[in-house]
Amino acid sequence: MKLYVKTFGCQMNVHDSRRIEEIFRSAGYTMTVDPREADVALINSCTIREKAWHKAISETGRLRKLKRGRRDIIVGIVGCVAQQEGERIFDLIPGVDMVIAPDHYGQLVELVEEVKLREDTLVLTGFDRGRPEDFLTPGPGTSRREATAFVTIMKGCQERCAYCIVPTVRGPERHRPIEDVESEVRGLVASGVVEVTLLGQKVNAYQSGEVGFAELLRRLDSVEGLERLRFTSPHPRHMTPDVTSSFGRLRSLCESIHLPVQSGSSRILSRMGRRYNVEDYLLVVSKLREACPAIGISTDLIVGYPGETNEDFAETLALIDRVGFSGAFSFKYSPRPGTRAASLDDDVPQDEKVRRLDAVHERIENLERRWRGSMVGTKLEVLVTNEGRMPGQVSGRARNSQIVNFVPTDGSTIDDLVGRLVEVEVTAAHSHSLEGKPAIR
Ligand code: SAH
Ligand code: SF4
Ligand code: F3S
């Protein structure tokens, strides 16, 4: 039996898809990247913006065509669209057999069997109660030998930013017990993982009994063999001094943070329900830089939010320069059903949204170029994870998140180097990566 999974959306979805694969693998399935070979084909969908939704629909359309020739293939929509649309999906996208929301992945294999027996469609949505087993940790013998891993520490979000559909599709916040997080990290390290990224929609709001996020970081930092610790995505209003001061102090905590700001206008931030203003954000940035001058700060930005004037947008451009972001994901505002912002007048015209997005891209690209350029001639510690783009090259990330490609000079192959930390001298900066050569010690 073969499983095909196509994933859209954020790191939560990417991580969920890996877990889904593990669950099917332990039930005897093998994986395929060709849907024509699959017995079960799942679309792990995202609905954060309208465009993301459309991608899931068009992918399912492709599977539907496939189904005409292969009636036995089971097609499932999982992920955030499954929770958002539920039953309606069968009308919207004919040919789908099952619709399963994220909190039910633990039962996916059984659900596939059930749908086969029933010869009818099946829907399972709604949220679990956050029991430890609901965090979908890897089963015995299923974890792969890899250098990096994600670890979910919280699910859901109840921040309810006015534009955002995540609280609707991922449910209330549930925080994983500290003991479970620690034991998963120890298990991963024992299996060869050297870098862990903690995952959560508001990862730094983590709380387990008395243990808050800064204490969690401190405890994980003491895990022997864990060389690198990262987390995503933190919310600026939970960047308390104990968290900002962890940078530069905790050995494993990498010099890089993705800290979504969304807008450079305090008026728009308030309309977005972000619960901080530009000054608060800048204060967090200065605390981070004080604690760790080399830190790279990247962000998320939304342009064309309802009521965003030229002046508001100019403030966003000014903030970009003032912070000097090392990178950013920027988006045109997209109204999402059921959110508070959906009832506001989406009054920035499409062509103006495009213009603003282009302006943001241009600034960010300039900053990225400068940031990468400043690394030429320096030495960076690279965690090798895969082959590079050019023949003979290997590739990995530096602690500041930059991708670095280099050719090993001692005859080592990618198999020798995966999971190893190599000191690399940067020789050139390209548009999305750095190039270097192993440093002579
Ligand atoms: N939990 C994370 C973000 C999750 S969504 C956080 O709060 O930082 C990822 C990004 O998508 C957001 O940071 C935001 O920039 C963007 N986004 C979310 N809803 C959007 C919408 N309706 N329109 C455009 N962009 C949106
Ligand atoms: Fe959405 Fe805001 Fe929650 Fe992030 S913090 S997931 S933007 S509601
Ligand atoms: Fe998309 Fe769901 Fe993530 S809506 S951004 S996949 S939590």
Side-chain angles (χ1 to χ4, degrees), residues 67 73-77 86-91 93-100 111-124:
K67 207 166 165 161
I73 181 173
I74 301 289
V75 174
I77 299 273
E87 292 252 313
R88 284 195 299 263
I89 286 183
F90 301 121
D91 299 328
I93 330 175
V96 172
D97 299 294
M98 56 199 280
V99 173
I100 311 293
L111 293 170
V112 165
E113 290 311 311
E114 191 179 330
V115 87
K116 280 190 201 157
L117 286 175
R118 275 182 177 217
E119 294 189 354
D120 193 5
T121 54
L122 190 151
V123 188
L124 197 54

Side-chain angles (χ1 to χ4, degrees), residues 48-49 163-164 201 233-234 260 262 274 300-302 331-334 336:
I48 197 80
R49 289 165 292 275
Y163 51 83
C164 183
Q201 290 293 355
S233 281
Q262 314 299 0
R274 288 290 287 180
D300 286 350
L301 291 158
I302 298 176
F331 312 100
K332 285 181 285 173
Y333 167 69
S334 165
R336 306 311 294 127

Side-chain angles (χ1 to χ4, degrees), residues 364-381:
I364 295 288
E365 270 168 32
N366 282 337
L367 283 172
E368 277 186 39
R369 201 170 310 126
R370 221 181 299 158
W371 163 250
R372 260 192 284 278
S374 73
M375 286 170 221
V376 175
T378 66
K379 287 178 188 164
L380 295 174
E381 177 206 87

Side-chain angles (χ1 to χ4, degrees), residues 390-432:
M390 311 292 275
Q393 270 187 344
V394 297
S395 180
R397 277 188 197 273
R399 284 174 63 99
N400 64 14
S401 294
Q402 290 299 310
I403 295 173
V404 185
N405 294 296
F406 68 96
V407 179
T409 43
D410 60 357
S412 305
T413 64
I414 180 71
D415 291 332
D416 303 325
L417 290 177
V418 165
R420 295 259 300 275
L421 296 165
V422 180
E423 188 91 343
V424 175
E425 187 183 328
V426 180
T427 52
H430 301 298
S431 49
H432 297 287

Side-chain angles (χ1 to χ4, degrees), residues 58-70 94-95:
S58 72
E59 183 67 22
T60 323
R62 278 182 50 202
L63 294 178
R64 205 166 102 205
K65 280 196 203 120
L66 202 75
K67 207 166 165 161
R68 287 198 199 119
R70 286 256 336 261

Side-chain angles (χ1 to χ4, degrees), residues 17 24 33 40 64 97 120 123 137 154 203 211 292 348 389 417:
S17 287
F24 276 85
V33 290
V40 178
R64 205 166 102 205
D97 299 294
D120 193 5
V123 188
T137 55
M154 63 165 319
V203 74
V211 177
C292 181
V348 179
R389 278 202 164 174
L417 290 177

Side-chain angles (χ1 to χ4, degrees), residues 145-185:
R145 284 184 61 86
E146 283 187 1
T148 63
F150 289 109
V151 171
T152 307
I153 65 165
M154 63 165 319
K155 298 207 292 188
C157 181
Q158 50 209 48
E159 190 71 12
R160 297 211 169 267
C161 300
Y163 51 83
C164 183
I165 200 155
V166 169
T168 314
V169 293
R170 288 282 173 159
E173 278 167 31
R174 285 142 295 164
H175 299 224
R176 193 165 167 207
I178 174 81
E179 303 74 33
D180 294 11
V181 175
E182 275 189 300
S183 88
E184 184 176 353
V185 170

Side-chain angles (χ1 to χ4, degrees), residues 336-347:
R336 306 311 294 127
T339 58
R340 278 182 288 136
S343 60
L344 302 174
D345 185 14
D346 185 13
D347 57 356

